[in-house]
Amino acid sequence: DERLFNSPSVAVSESNHASVTMCQAACDNVRTALDLFNTFDLKEVEQMREVEHYLDDAEDKLGTYLVKLSSSALSQKDSQVVSKMLHAIGNFERLGDHALNLKDCAVEMNEKDLVFSDEAKRELGILASAIREILDITCRAYEENNVALAEQVEPLEEVIDDMVMILKDR
């Protein structure tokens, strides 16, 4: 609500709440996509599409709002929060896109009656657990604005990247 521009700190706080909601939605969509490889559910696929539409719309509207808000008389702290949100919401939308890519793979496997071998299922389970862990840490770090927790993300991302390369080769 642009009327909140009259109270910039309230506008920043409400925007932050909206960005946290985006973060949670994006992470939930990735978790749902990972689950589709174990238990395919068309209702979940449709729900994922709705969440992705929300993420696209939220990034557009919140991004526009934050740019307008940034031209207000903001405190140094609020200005930093707005900058953080502008950067983060694009990442949340991109995370939603990754979830859709995973969903598309699961849909294709379901349509073609393809299944992973038992070994591939085990390996995918390990990778999925690591992805869920990084999502949990990322969401908590963002929601709590916890830098120490956020610093745990990069090393885990490197491990996941290595796992993905190894599994692709197999």
Side-chain angles (χ1 to χ4, degrees):
D1 186 344
E2 290 189 13
R3 292 175 291 183
L4 292 177
F5 289 169
N6 295 326
S7 302
S9 63
V10 175
V12 170
S13 177
E14 289 300 310
S15 297
N16 192 55
H17 175 72
S19 71
V20 166
T21 301
M22 278 187 75
C23 177
Q24 293 167 341
C27 289
D28 287 347
N29 242 20
V30 173
R31 289 182 194 100
T32 300
L34 293 170
D35 290 342
L36 290 174
F37 289 101
N38 294 324
T39 308
F40 190 81
D41 184 342
L42 281 174
K43 290 178 190 172
E44 294 291 336
V45 169
E46 186 54 39
Q47 178 66 26
M48 286 185 69
R49 288 185 183 118
E50 291 174 21
V51 171
E52 178 57 23
H53 177 72
Y54 157 75
L55 289 170
D56 290 342
D57 193 47
E59 183 204 17
D60 182 47
K61 289 179 180 174
L62 186 55
T64 300
Y65 186 83
L66 289 170
V67 168
K68 288 179 184 177
L69 180 59
S70 67
S71 65
S72 301
L74 298 175
S75 69
Q76 176 73 19
K77 180 182 176 195
D78 284 345
S79 182
Q80 289 173 337
V81 172
V82 168
S83 179
K84 175 190 89 164
M85 284 187 283
L86 279 167
H87 180 74
I89 63 174
N91 288 332
F92 300 149
E93 193 281 327
R94 189 166 38 258
L95 189 57
D97 291 343
H98 290 307
L100 284 188
N101 291 339
L102 288 168
K103 181 260 317 162
D104 290 343
C105 290
V107 166
E108 182 177 356
M109 287 183 70
N110 183 66
E111 289 173 348
K112 295 180 178 180
D113 276 334
L114 301 174
V115 294
F116 287 115
S117 68
D118 289 341
E119 179 65 15
K121 287 178 188 177
R122 186 187 68 73
E123 291 172 340
L124 184 60
I126 293 167
L127 179 60
S129 292
I131 292 169
R132 284 185 179 89
E133 182 178 347
I134 201 171
L135 290 172
D136 293 344
I137 292 169
T138 300
C139 282
R140 263 189 42 230
Y142 188 77
E143 290 171 30
E144 298 170 9
N145 199 31
N146 185 327
V147 175
L149 196 56
E151 289 173 346
Q152 296 177 20
V153 172
E154 181 66 29
L156 186 52
E157 180 187 7
E158 289 178 22
V159 170
I160 290 171
D161 289 344
D162 291 345
M163 288 174 66
V164 168
M165 284 179 30
I166 291 168
L167 295 179
K168 276 185 179 181
D169 287 344
R170 290 185 189 168

